[in-house]
Amino acid sequence: MSDNFKRYNRIKSGLRQLLPGTLGPRQLQPLDHLARLVNGIVAAGHTQLPKLAAKDPRPLKTESKIASLKRLVATESFSQELFFVPFVKAFLAGLARSRKEVVLVIDGSTVGRGCMALVVSVVYAGRALPIAWLVVEGKKGHLAQERHLQLLQQVQSLLSEGQKVVLLGDGEFDGTLLQEAARQYGWQWVVRTAKSSLYRTPRSRRWGKFGDWKLARGGFVAHYKLGFSGEGWGPVTGIGVWEKEYEAPLYLVTSFTNARLAAAYYKKRYRIETFFSDQKSRGFRLDQSHLDQPDRLARLMIGCVYAYWWLVYLGTYAREHDWDSVVHRTSRCDLSFFQLGWRLLEHWLNIDYQFELASNSQLSFFSKFCTVVNK
């Protein structure tokens, strides 16, 4: 049995268990195509359809394999709601049961030809795991706040009632509409803002700029109950922090009244950068896909996100069970969990190790993932 066929069989078995009872007979065929999509992405390290087709284990002509992938990403019923949301809801519900807060990071990146993906990830056990996304036409840069609100509404529908949430974002996401939406949802937030952003204190009608604060390298300053932006929206806490290793200070806007805590939360935002690099130059090269239609790229990302979750899980499994010393170095490990999981998978295929994406017992992939990454 070829490596592609072994890998595909494990992925298909696992995906069926991730979505129990949600798929009818007509939906099982797209699920099989999804398994081939995930297999192709992992095997090829790419998202261009011809390269994925080359890893399809079926004895068909290459053009037929490419055509089936094109049909999959063009099929409206192949959606996040049906093929990804049930898994994520189970994961987030597990966090709610364990009374853990949910730390969310929102960010954007280029994908395909002339498109941007706006992604929200949950920071969990030191990793940023994507849970929702939308793709729109546009080059790298700031998107309209309406798009931000659309994605936040999508995320809110995934969460359990009363779940504690902290939202983090860079300077693109300091819009007052986004902050107001977070407030309406009952979330806390910490977002970066520009030094030119305007504020005013409760006792003053004059506007000031964040960059006017006297801040030396290594310094920290906080101002409370501010009116933010030209609208005077608030009240919010404004923070200026200049860590010694950086060349310039950082300015933040937050709902927290504990400024030090807010700054500590914001440091978790950088976890999402690893996800984007793993989806691009260090991983699946999503930015090199030839697709240029947002809806098709959004469906392609279903396969990319499943592949990412799986490889991160395998990386944590490798570290927990000492496989890292087999596939990397004995003394130390310099690889991310994503890269470590990729190496472990290839090693298992080489030695014909019997592995599963999810076991046939009641311990699902979701439960395994939570168990391993919590250690």
Side-chain angles (χ1 to χ4, degrees):
M1 184 185 298
S2 70
D3 285 353
N4 280 324
F5 197 77
K6 286 186 290 186
R7 188 191 304 104
Y8 161 72
N9 275 339
R10 304 303 193 275
I11 292 171
K12 181 172 70 172
S13 173
L15 287 173
R16 285 177 181 270
Q17 294 177 60
L18 289 179
L19 304 170
T22 61
L23 303 178
R26 291 185 178 181
Q27 297 158 342
L28 287 177
Q29 186 176 7
L31 183 63
D32 291 342
H33 289 313
L34 173 59
R36 282 189 283 272
L37 177 63
V38 175
N39 175 69
I41 291 169
V42 173
H46 221 292
T47 51
Q48 290 179 6
L49 300 188
K51 295 184 179 181
L52 305 187
K55 302 299 181 180
D56 189 328
R58 295 176 297 172
L60 301 175
K61 292 182 178 180
T62 298
E63 286 300 318
S64 297
K65 297 176 183 180
I66 295 173
S68 69
L69 288 170
K70 287 181 177 179
R71 286 194 297 270
L72 179 66
V73 297
T75 301
E76 292 185 4
S77 59
F78 179 55
S79 63
Q80 293 180 55
E81 291 75 18
L82 189 59
F83 287 94
F84 188 70
V85 165
F87 166 62
V88 169
K89 277 190 171 182
F91 177 78
L92 295 174
L95 291 185
R97 286 192 296 271
S98 63
R99 298 183 179 180
K100 290 189 175 182
E101 67 184 7
V102 174
V103 179
L104 302 175
V105 184
I106 183 170
D107 206 349
S109 184
T110 56
V111 294
R113 291 181 172 178
C115 292
M116 287 281 297
L118 194 60
V119 180
V120 169
S121 296
V122 59
V123 177
Y124 184 65
R127 296 125 204 147
L129 303 169
I131 61 170
W133 60 92
L134 59 87
V135 181
V136 299
E137 291 183 359
K139 299 180 180 178
K140 187 171 179 60
H142 290 194
L143 299 176
Q145 284 196 70
E146 287 74 14
R147 295 297 189 181
H148 302 165
L149 300 181
Q150 182 182 348
L151 185 58
L152 258 58
Q153 185 177 26
Q154 183 178 332
V155 172
Q156 173 66 6
S157 68
L158 303 175
L159 299 168
S160 302
E161 185 175 354
Q163 200 158 15
K164 183 180 178 182
V165 177
V166 179
L167 177 68
L168 311 176
D170 66 10
E172 178 181 350
F173 304 100
D174 67 346
T176 56
L177 293 180
L178 181 143
Q179 294 183 64
E180 178 61 30
R183 175 178 289 172
Q184 293 297 321
Y185 292 145
W187 301 356
Q188 300 273 37
W189 67 89
V190 189
V191 294
R192 186 173 181 176
T193 194
K195 65 180 181 180
S196 59
S197 293
L198 299 176
Y199 76 92
R200 65 184 177 190
T201 65
R203 296 181 179 180
S204 174
R205 294 183 178 181
R206 296 180 61 184
W207 291 98
K209 296 181 180 179
F210 280 65
D212 294 336
W213 295 345
K214 295 180 180 180
L215 193 63
R217 189 185 293 269
F220 186 96
V221 63
H223 296 275
Y224 301 92
K225 297 182 180 180
L226 300 181
F228 177 67
S229 184
E231 308 164 36
W233 183 89
V236 294
T237 299
I239 301 171
V241 56
W242 192 349
E243 297 188 348
K244 293 181 179 179
E245 61 269 31
Y246 295 106
E247 294 299 320
L250 185 73
Y251 299 100
L252 305 173
V253 177
T254 179
S255 59
F256 284 102
T257 55
N258 185 330
R260 294 282 182 179
L261 178 61
Y265 268 112
Y266 188 76
K267 290 183 178 180
K268 298 182 180 183
R269 192 203 72 80
Y270 301 104
R271 307 285 172 80
I272 200 171
E273 301 296 341
T274 301
F275 164 71
F276 283 127
S277 62
D278 287 335
Q279 290 296 315
K280 296 165 75 173
S281 59
R282 296 192 309 186
F284 303 146
R285 296 174 174 82
L286 186 56
D287 56 324
Q288 296 180 28
S289 170
H290 291 164
L291 297 178
D292 59 3
Q293 298 181 43
D295 56 343
R296 300 190 180 194
L297 280 163
R299 296 182 193 112
L300 177 64
M301 284 185 65
I302 298 174
C304 292
V305 169
Y306 265 126
Y308 180 80
W309 274 76
W310 185 34
L311 292 181
V312 168
Y313 162 69
L314 290 179
T316 58
Y317 185 92
R319 184 72 62 84
E320 178 69 18
H321 295 83
D322 297 324
W323 282 98
D324 54 337
S325 62
V326 176
V327 300
H328 190 39
R329 293 192 179 104
T330 303
S331 58
R332 73 178 193 275
C333 182
D334 301 324
L335 299 176
S336 67
F337 284 106
F338 173 81
Q339 295 292 336
L340 184 59
W342 216 342
R343 288 200 183 187
L344 178 64
L345 174 60
E346 293 306 309
H347 178 71
W348 280 352
L349 291 170
N350 289 338
I351 66 175
D352 201 23
Y353 183 82
Q354 297 300 308
F355 64 94
E356 294 289 344
L357 176 60
S359 69
N360 291 323
S361 69
Q362 293 181 347
L363 185 63
S364 67
F365 164 75
F366 159 71
S367 300
K368 281 184 174 182
F369 187 91
C370 294
T371 300
V372 173
V373 298
N374 267 317
K375 293 185 178 180

